Amino acid sequence: MPPVDPLALELARMVEELLAHEQPEPVLQDVVNRARTLLSGAHHVSVMAHDGRGNGFASLAASDDLAGRCDTLMADLDEGPGVLDHDPEPVHRSGDLAADGRWPRWSAAAHDLGIRSVLSIRLVGQGKHLGSLNLYSEDAFAFGDDDDIELAVLFAGHAAAALGAVTEISGLRAALESRHVIGVAQGILMERYHLGVNGAFEVLKRFSSVHNLKLRDVATELVDTGAMPGADEPPLSMT
C-alpha cells in the first residue's frame, strides 16, 4: 500500500472539519484562518464576493482588520485582483504592487497599507462562482514559487467544495424549515377559521402580498404569537 501524502491527508481533514459547520459564515472564517496558517507568505487572508443585494463586492470573512481593509478598497474602487467581474482568470498574482499597472489605484492604496504582494484565487463550488480567496503578504515577491501557488490553488479548490456543499445544505435546511413553519401556520388558521389546507395557504399568501412581507415571516409571527404581524383584524377580513 503506497504511503499517504501528508498534504492530501491534511486537506481531506480540513474538508471534513469544514463540512461539520451548519452555515456558510463559520466555514468562511475557518477557511481564512486555516489559509494564513497553511499557506506560505499569507500574512493576511480574506474571502470576498458579491454581497447578494446588488451592491457590488464585499468582504465576507477576513483574518484581521488589514485584510478587510484591502477588500473594502477593492469594493470601493471596483478594481483589484478579487473583482471577478472584470477578469475571468482563476488566479491573479502580483509580487510587486508598487510596480503593478493592472490595478493602479488599488495597488497604490494597498501598498500604502503595507501590502507588497497578493495572490487571489477564484473560488468555484457546486458549479458556481462563490467569490475569491485573497492572500496578502507584507513581503515583496511573495507567492513566486510554483509549488506555493499550486498549494494555494489546491487549498482554494478544497475550501470551495466544502463551502459550496455547506451553502447548498444550509439552503435546503432553510427551505425545509420554511415549509414546516408555514404548515404549522396553516394548521392554526384551519382550526381557528375552519378553513381547508388551500384556503389557509391563500390567507397567508394574501396577507404576505398585501403587507409586503415574506411568507415565512408571516407564518413565523403567527406561530410564535398567535397573530399576524401588525394585524388589527382577523386575516379573513382582508380585502
Side-chain angles (χ1 to χ4, degrees), residues 202-215:
E202 283 301 316
V203 169
L204 291 170
K205 190 167 69 171
R206 287 175 57 203
F207 193 94
S208 169
S209 176
V210 168
H211 294 274
N212 195 28
L213 296 169
K214 291 183 178 180
L215 184 61

Side-chain angles (χ1 to χ4, degrees), residues 68-79 105-106 109-110 113:
R69 290 170 68 188
C70 288
D71 282 2
T72 299
L73 283 169
M74 268 194 261
D76 291 345
L77 297 172
D78 194 29
E79 174 184 291
R105 294 177 298 160
W106 180 83
L113 293 177

Side-chain angles (χ1 to χ4, degrees), residues 171-187 201 204 215-216 219-220 223:
L172 291 172
R173 185 181 295 113
L176 288 173
E177 290 173 353
S178 292
R179 290 181 61 181
H180 173 71
V181 74
I182 290 170
V184 173
Q186 284 177 268
F201 183 74
L204 291 170
L215 184 61
R216 174 175 175 164
T220 299
V223 171

Side-chain angles (χ1 to χ4, degrees), residues 67-150:
R69 290 170 68 188
C70 288
D71 282 2
T72 299
L73 283 169
M74 268 194 261
D76 291 345
L77 297 172
D78 194 29
E79 174 184 291
V83 180
L84 306 178
D85 286 351
H86 302 323
D87 195 333
E89 287 297 318
V91 179
H92 286 293
R93 173 193 172 268
S94 176
D96 185 6
L97 286 179
D100 198 313
R102 288 174 292 177
W103 323 289
R105 294 177 298 160
W106 180 83
S107 294
H111 189 273
D112 288 344
L113 293 177
I115 300 302
R116 300 294 179 262
S117 304
V118 63
L119 180 64
S120 182
I121 304 167
R122 185 182 289 255
L123 295 173
V124 179
Q126 305 290 310
K128 300 177 182 178
H129 297 305
L130 304 175
S132 62
L133 176 68
N134 302 315
L135 312 178
Y136 302 110
S137 181
E138 298 172 13
D139 298 332
F141 309 110
F143 315 120
D145 189 292
D146 287 345
D147 289 342
D148 289 341
I149 295 177
E150 183 178 347

